[in-house]
Structures are given as C-alpha cells and as structure tokens.
Amino acid sequence: FLPKIYDQMMSHLNYKNWADYIYKIYRYYKIKNKSVLELACGTGKLSRFLAKKFDEYLISDISLNMLKSCDNDLQKVCLDMRKIPFKNKFGFIFCTFDSINYLLTSKELNEFFQEIFNIMDKESILTFDAAMEPTAVQYEGMNNTEKRFGDIFVKQISNYNKETKIITNHFIIKNDSETDEEIHRQKIFDIVDYFKIIEECGLCVDKCYECPSFEIAEYDSPRVQLIIKKV
C-alpha cells in the first residue's frame, strides 16, 4: 500500500527546492565524471527535477515496489546501500530526506561508507543529509495521526527512544478489503560518530552544513548536510 500513497504523504516537501540545493552542491565541485547515482530515491520525485541536468543518471532504492512506482524512464536499480553492486565509478552520489538514518548501527554505516569508497574516484563527491537529535525529539510525545488518501486510510504511530536513539514510525494502512502494516526505524547518530566512521573508511568530510542551507552546521543543528570526498 505505502508506495501507492507515498507521494501524497510527502506532498509537504518542496522537491524543486531540494533539487536546486543538491545541484548547487554538484556545481560547486566542478566534477569531471558526469555519472550520477541517487540512493534511496523512493518514487523518483527528486529525479524529475535533476535528471535533465545530467547525461548519466541512475536511481536506486531498496524497495522494488517504490521503484515500480517511479513514472520516469531513467535507469533503475534495486539495491541495499550496504551492498552496492557496481564496479564503475560515479562522479556524484547523493542520498536525501534522512535516508541515511535507516542505517541502524555503526557497522551498517561502516559497510555503507566502504561501498561508497569503492565507487568513488579521486574527484567524486558523496552528499547526504542526516536528521539529528533536535529533529528526533519532536517524536517523543507525538500523538497518533490518522489520514485518508482517497480510499486508503493511514494511521501513523510515532515515537523516539532517547536511550536507544531510535525513531519508530508504525504505519497501519487499509482500504475496504485489506490491511497492511509497516514499521520504519531510523537511528540518530551523533555528528562525531559520522566523522569518525567516515574517516575509518578512507574518506573525509569536506563540508558540513546546516541542511538545507550553506551555513556551517552547529552541534545542535536539527539536520546536517555532509559532503564527502576521498582522502
């Protein structure tokens, strides 16, 4: 059910503004390798604004159903970010909308950055945004929400565990004849943890902004945008 209503649930996002932000990052680095990999693309809404700016653009997601819901002609690959199956190098790799937070352990983060290292050349860039503690705290006392999208009813139960630093979103989705449930978990890492693991994998943080801006991030920033290069 979720891929069918995902775009409606995310209608509050301004995809054009996000695309402009990502493209400004790309242009700043003047990357020679023009091949682009978008990770965790969902239903491909962001690529509608970005694909026309690149000659080689590949979108990917761990959910095959999400990819099937993409209404564009781009190349699509179903993959786990911890096991990227490419031997070729990408000039620009990006991941948006706190998808990095779906990696729940330091080990999973390490696996991800090792895979990224393998598909980067000396000039390649990886950029992603990560939700931080101030964003997660809003889930602590969050009431259940209930919404209807056409004939589909969605109940969302959200909470944040300060001890485990896990955000849990439990979706109960049903129509007149079926009921489906999904549980999504995201982990809040300290910004220092990101820097440490990135460096362990032969990479370095070139910039760390308060997302979505080009202001230098503070320790209490609600969301950060990291730009990563090879050492």
Side-chain angles (χ1 to χ4, degrees), residues 80-93:
D80 185 328
M81 292 194 297
R82 299 164 300 173
K83 298 176 181 178
I84 299 175
F86 304 119
K87 293 184 179 179
N88 56 301
K89 309 296 184 183
F90 292 88
F92 188 57
I93 307 156

Side-chain angles (χ1 to χ4, degrees), residues 179-191:
T179 298
D180 191 19
E181 292 191 46
E182 288 195 24
I183 296 176
H184 292 211
R185 293 186 178 90
Q186 292 177 283
K187 171 81 171 186
I188 300 298
F189 285 94
D190 191 278
I191 189 63

